[in-house]
Amino acid sequence: MAILYHTTMTARPARILHLKEGVLGQQNDKPRSITVALSGNPNAGKTTLFNNLTGARQHVGNWPGVTVEKKEGTCKYGDYRFEVVDLPGTYSLTAYSLEEVIVREYITGEKPDIVVDIVDASNIERNLYLTTQLMELGVPVIIALNMMDVAESRGIDINIELLSELLGLPVVPIVGLRNRGTDDLKCVIAAVVNGEVKFRGVHVNYGQEVEEEIDKLESAIEDERPALGEYLGKYSTRWLAVKLLEEDEAIMEVLSGHLEADSSLFEQQEKSLAHLYSIFGEDVETVIVDYRYGFVAGTAREAVKREIEEPVSTSDRIDNILTNRILGFPFFAFFMWSMFFLTFYLGKIPMDWIERFFGGLGNFAATNLTSPVWLQSLLVDGVIGGVGAVLVFLPQIFIMFLCISLLEDTGYMARAAFIMDRVMHWLGLHGKSFIPMIMGFGCNVPAVMATRTLESEKDRNITILINPLMSCTARLPVYALFTAAFFTAHQGTVTFSLYLLGIILAVIMAKLFRRFLFPGEAEPFVMELPPYRWPTLKGTFIHMWERGSLFLRKAGTIILAGSVVVWMLSYFPSGVEYGSSASLVGKLGRLLEPLVRPLGFDWRAAVALLFGIVAKEIVVSTFGTILGVGEDQEAISGRLQGVFTPLTAYAFMAFTLIYIPCLATVAVIKKETGSWRLAAFSVLYTLTLAWIVAFLIYRIGLLCGLGG
Ligand code: GDP
Ligand code: MG
């Protein structure tokens, strides 16, 4: 059985009734004892439910050492004897109040068989906040959705089935005041203990940055396992890691008792806190709280409908527009358009400066460094020509990363995913798959890593496999170079068409992969909608820099190395005309040429594509180098016209877009999926697809008379 839920109070699923008979049927002399802890906000109805469950069989005492009342009672259900504990009411599980510590210690220390979280249905958002924390403790949690009568009278319509699916746990509606639903609850408790209910283990995702630090802290905790010993068994490492980020006092005190003050765990904690503070400009605890509320907001937005919408916060008001089913789309389109507008038009200005700088540098080297000839050629054709041809795109790439960082840091990205959820479902994917796709416009490497937020492995694999079809910034230099040379008047339109081509292919491939490789349905799960925040200048720049600087490093390392290799192959054997078909690169190209001949490409294209496997920018630097014209874009354009026609140039751009994700992406696919087969598959399918698409473009173009 997957998930147990009730759709209405009266029409109970036959499955539950059947189960109940089964349980009651096996009467036994020795009832099995089960501990059931009741947790929930103050006034959610715990004591009422407790009385309904246990009747007169109660015992009132105190929690050890404190004067907080502890109520215990028992109740029989078929084979079972439930030992029910009424925990103190709390809104949260931080260590700020005595009640919170009691609840937390009881659940982690005594490990009840099941925690029943009493949620006030008339106040569901506030109550679910505690639920997000109970779910993290690693014990089975089920929700008793109380005060259904109040919710109904206030016109609050809760889709219980969906709520249960989103949270990955059973939800049982009850009306404590009238003792309704109590039997259902007992029945579900028994089913959980019988192992008939699957928990999906949903937890709040705290966003990529925080999750990365959680990972680091978790491994630091594992390193301290010998010293922590028993203590570790009590808590899950993830929970401890989150508490370390929250700087939870109670946990810090205990950890300090077990570990040396200079433990690497505390060191990691400081590092993580400082890193996150620099990004968010706020306490990590605040960020974590925001994500929990975001989880609740996302859940409520999907599963709860109100007759009268009453926006409570500014964030809610903005969301009523931005995540509106209709209005959301034009806003999204506008944001995307702005991102591309800024990248391409604003980026042009500093791009011209850099181009002039490399132009000057090339001329300087050419005039002042006349001997030895090979050195001059290496610097002018190889290094400045190759690396310079790519570095001119630095501003555009940084602007693109800046925009993506802004979308993420303001919280808008989560909304985009939310409104795209239905579209993505049509693709057999979940809205959460949409975020990596937008990030893919920046760079496919962090985008593949961002798929970690997807819970289902199938969804994740599909999202990863289609990601390289999103035109990352490394394709930008290729599009820019070729559109400038062949589509001068329609540069923008042609570039846009390539982005679109990638998206369309991603859609088609997603459908195919879902159908043939990873059949099934996208699992429903909560999309966190944390409150909007003003991004801090520093945080956004750190974000942009972290990703953009990778490009810089790439230019200084593999692109430089690639350019030097291509230069050597073009220069030698000595005496041949530079970059001619008699040079080494020419021979290599001739060898590969038959493979790309049907696409209308010649040997130079073949070589550029071969080296471009390392990084797509190398396609451009290779042309910069082979064509032997330094960094001068106009001169490269002129020579390219000798190599391509507009038709083959377009087919070539399409090929470059689709074929083989760069080495770094293939490596991260292997790392994230842990599968060589998937990594190899990503290479093979994209290569095949690129060939087919380029072939079709070329052949159909020829048929339409576009060959000239
Ligand atoms: P606790 O603080 O969680 O122990 O909550 P209590 O059990 O003391 O209940 C708080 C108040 O809510 C009491 O006045 C109850 O009578 C009332 N109450 C509990 N369950 C329901 C319900 O399902 N419907 C309504 N209308 N009131 C309820
Ligand atoms: Mg009470």
Side-chain angles (χ1 to χ4, degrees):
M1 169 184 304
I3 302 158
L4 281 170
Y5 46 76
H6 293 228
T7 38
T8 63
M9 293 285 304
T10 40
R12 290 173 199 159
R15 182 78 182 111
I16 286 195
L17 293 172
H18 168 75
L19 184 105
K20 193 174 196 170
E21 281 152 26
V23 173
L24 288 170
Q26 318 160 353
Q27 286 289 350
N28 196 319
D29 294 342
K30 270 200 196 153
R32 197 175 142 202
S33 189
I34 291 166
T35 341
V36 178
L38 305 185
S39 177
N41 286 12
N43 284 319
K46 282 183 309 304
T47 304
T48 310
L49 176 65
F50 178 81
N51 291 337
N52 290 345
L53 284 171
T54 61
R57 295 172 299 275
Q58 315 191 347
H59 165 80
V60 181
N62 273 347
W63 291 91
V66 291
T67 54
V68 179
E69 193 181 74
K70 180 182 188 184
K71 277 177 130 179
E72 286 171 295
T74 58
C75 104
K76 274 196 69 166
Y77 183 76
D79 261 356
Y80 299 103
R81 210 174 92 108
F82 297 157
E83 311 274 346
V84 189
V85 184
D86 188 13
L87 295 174
T90 59
Y91 294 104
S92 175
L93 291 182
T94 46
Y96 290 126
S97 77
L98 191 56
E99 284 80 7
E100 291 177 353
V101 176
I102 290 175
V103 172
R104 211 164 84 170
E105 284 300 303
Y106 177 80
I107 294 176
T108 52
E110 305 288 318
K111 293 243 188 279
D113 295 299
I114 191 162
V115 173
V116 176
D117 176 20
I118 291 96
V119 167
D120 175 353
S122 66
N123 213 337
I124 193 162
E125 277 95 342
R126 198 216 277 176
N127 280 246
L128 284 178
Y129 184 73
L130 176 67
T131 313
T132 62
Q133 294 176 70
L134 289 171
M135 279 161 36
E136 274 181 348
L137 289 176
V139 278
V141 176
I142 71 174
I143 289 181
L145 196 57
N146 195 25
M147 314 247 184
M148 287 302 283
D149 54 333
V150 185
E152 224 157 272
S153 69
R154 290 200 198 149
I156 302 167
D157 178 14
I158 302 170
N159 184 339
I160 290 171
E161 184 178 335
L162 184 60
L163 184 66
S164 164
E165 280 183 32
L166 289 171
L167 299 176
L169 43 81
V171 177
V172 185
I174 63 169
V175 181
L177 194 63
R178 268 174 254 137
N179 200 357
R180 280 170 63 187
T182 315
D183 274 351
D184 296 342
L185 189 68
K186 289 183 194 168
C187 172
V188 173
I189 294 173
V192 169
V193 180
N194 276 338
E196 290 189 53
V197 176
K198 293 265 174 302
F199 288 87
R200 258 196 308 123
V202 174
H203 59 72
V204 179
N205 186 294
Y206 294 108
Q208 216 190 337
E209 271 75 27
V210 177
E211 288 293 334
E212 269 168 27
E213 300 311 312
I214 290 176
D215 276 354
K216 287 183 200 158
L217 281 166
E218 280 195 65
S219 53
I221 292 168
E222 284 302 328
D223 292 345
E224 292 288 8
R225 187 173 272 284
L228 291 171
E230 232 174 88
Y231 187 64
L232 262 190
K234 192 167 153 187
Y235 303 107
S236 79
T237 48
R238 180 179 167 87
W239 191 80
L240 276 180
V242 172
K243 291 296 140 188
L244 282 165
L245 288 179
E246 289 178 328
E247 296 176 87
D248 184 281
E249 273 177 36
I251 294 297
M252 289 309 292
E253 206 180 293
V254 187
L255 283 179
S256 309
H258 281 77
L259 301 172
E260 303 291 322
D262 62 351
S263 156
S264 58
L265 180 55
F266 296 132
E267 208 174 292
Q268 180 59 52
Q269 182 194 20
E270 300 231 318
K271 257 197 262 169
S272 297
L273 288 173
H275 174 70
L276 292 174
Y277 186 80
S278 74
I279 288 180
F280 293 105
E282 270 182 300
D283 277 346
V284 185
E285 196 186 344
T286 315
V287 176
I288 288 177
V289 168
D290 278 356
Y291 268 99
R292 285 196 188 120
Y293 277 117
F295 181 90
V296 173
T299 311
R301 198 150 261 277
E302 292 202 52
V304 183
K305 298 274 170 294
R306 285 193 169 74
E307 269 164 21
I308 322 144
E309 288 287 343
E310 29 185 305
V312 266
S313 63
T314 322
S315 215
D316 285 346
R317 279 194 200 100
I318 302 175
D319 269 345
N320 280 346
I321 302 168
L322 289 188
T323 65
N324 181 286
R325 270 160 210 269
I326 299 146
L327 282 178
F329 287 96
F331 274 102
F332 171 69
F334 172 74
F335 290 132
M336 285 292 107
W337 176 83
S338 308
M339 177 166 98
F340 286 107
F341 177 82
L342 288 175
T343 303
F344 291 111
Y345 287 84
L346 206 66
K348 268 226 147 50
I349 304 164
M351 194 173 153
D352 288 342
W353 305 337
I354 301 183
E355 215 177 314
R356 247 175 279 155
F357 168 77
F358 280 107
L361 198 67
N363 282 337
F364 179 82
T367 44
N368 294 298
L369 238 172
T370 42
S371 69
V373 180
W374 67 266
L375 185 63
Q376 184 204 29
S377 174
L378 171 63
L379 283 177
V380 177
D381 301 325
V383 177
I384 300 175
V387 179
V390 171
L391 270 186
V392 291
F393 296 96
L394 197 63
Q396 297 198 332
I397 286 167
F398 268 86
I399 291 173
M400 177 72 91
F401 280 121
L402 180 69
C403 292
I404 291 175
S405 300
L406 275 175
L407 290 179
E408 282 190 275
D409 296 351
T410 50
Y412 181 72
M413 200 75 111
R415 272 73 186 181
F418 192 87
I419 58 169
M420 292 304 282
D421 194 46
R422 288 154 143 223
V423 181
M424 297 306 283
H425 272 292
W426 177 75
L427 286 183
L429 287 173
H430 185 268
K432 268 194 181 174
S433 292
F434 193 66
I435 297 178
M437 292 180 72
I438 294 195
M439 289 178 68
F441 289 135
C443 174
N444 300 134
V445 173
V448 168
M449 298 201 293
T451 60
R452 282 182 203 168
T453 54
L454 293 159
E455 289 166 28
S456 140
E457 194 178 310
K458 286 179 177 178
D459 293 1
R460 207 173 161 219
N461 287 345
I462 298 175
T463 311
I464 287 177
L465 283 177
I466 60 171
N467 201 275
L469 296 171
M470 308 312 289
S471 288
C472 70
T473 47
R475 271 84 153 200
L476 231 158
V478 184
Y479 300 163
L481 178 71
F482 280 80
T483 53
F486 296 95
F487 305 96
T488 326
H490 307 286
Q491 254 189 295
T493 320
V494 173
T495 305
F496 179 72
S497 75
L498 286 155
Y499 275 87
L500 204 62
L501 175 69
I503 296 168
I504 293 169
L505 288 173
V507 166
I508 297 172
M509 295 318 289
K511 283 226 142 207
L512 290 178
F513 291 151
R514 175 55 91 194
R515 185 159 165 79
F516 296 107
L517 289 185
F518 306 103
E521 279 198 22
E523 273 180 15
F525 57 94
V526 177
M527 269 179 291
E528 290 84 4
L529 293 177
Y532 289 100
R533 55 169 78 232
W534 283 111
T536 63
L537 204 61
K538 201 173 153 203
T540 305
F541 272 87
I542 289 177
H543 246 152
M544 175 190 79
W545 180 252
E546 274 179 353
R547 291 171 185 162
S549 61
L550 285 181
F551 170 79
L552 259 184
R553 208 181 313 154
K554 204 154 65 158
T557 52
I558 50 176
I559 296 175
L560 176 64
S563 301
V564 172
V565 169
V566 176
W567 173 83
M568 285 200 299
L569 294 174
S570 309
Y571 194 80
F572 294 108
S574 54
V576 299
E577 189 191 336
Y578 181 83
S580 68
S581 60
S583 66
L584 286 176
V585 79
K587 296 210 170 89
L588 182 63
R590 292 268 177 229
L591 209 65
L592 294 169
E593 195 174 353
L595 293 175
V596 294
R597 192 77 261 176
L599 316 177
F601 305 162
D602 79 347
W603 66 268
R604 282 165 288 207
V607 171
L609 291 172
L610 175 70
F611 290 106
I613 293 172
V614 178
K616 304 239 167 172
E617 297 94 329
I618 296 186
V619 170
V620 165
S621 63
T622 302
F623 279 114
T625 308
I626 304 187
L627 297 174
V629 282
E631 80 329 310
D632 184 347
Q633 300 280 316
E634 258 170 50
I636 298 182
S637 287
R639 301 237 178 143
L640 272 181
Q641 280 157 7
V643 181
F644 293 96
T645 65
L647 178 62
T648 55
Y650 193 84
F652 184 79
M653 285 190 281
F655 194 98
T656 311
L657 156 65
I658 305 163
Y659 93 117
I660 308 188
C662 68
L663 276 192
T665 306
V666 177
V668 80
I669 292 177
K670 155 75 183 67
K671 192 166 154 252
E672 291 293 314
T673 60
S675 156
W676 276 116
R677 284 179 55 197
L678 267 187
F681 179 73
S682 74
V683 170
L684 287 178
Y685 105 79
T686 50
L687 193 58
T688 317
L689 186 65
W691 202 93
I692 295 171
V693 171
F695 182 81
L696 289 177
I697 292 173
Y698 180 55
R699 293 292 152 178
I700 294 174
L702 283 184
L703 286 179
C704 300
L706 298 170

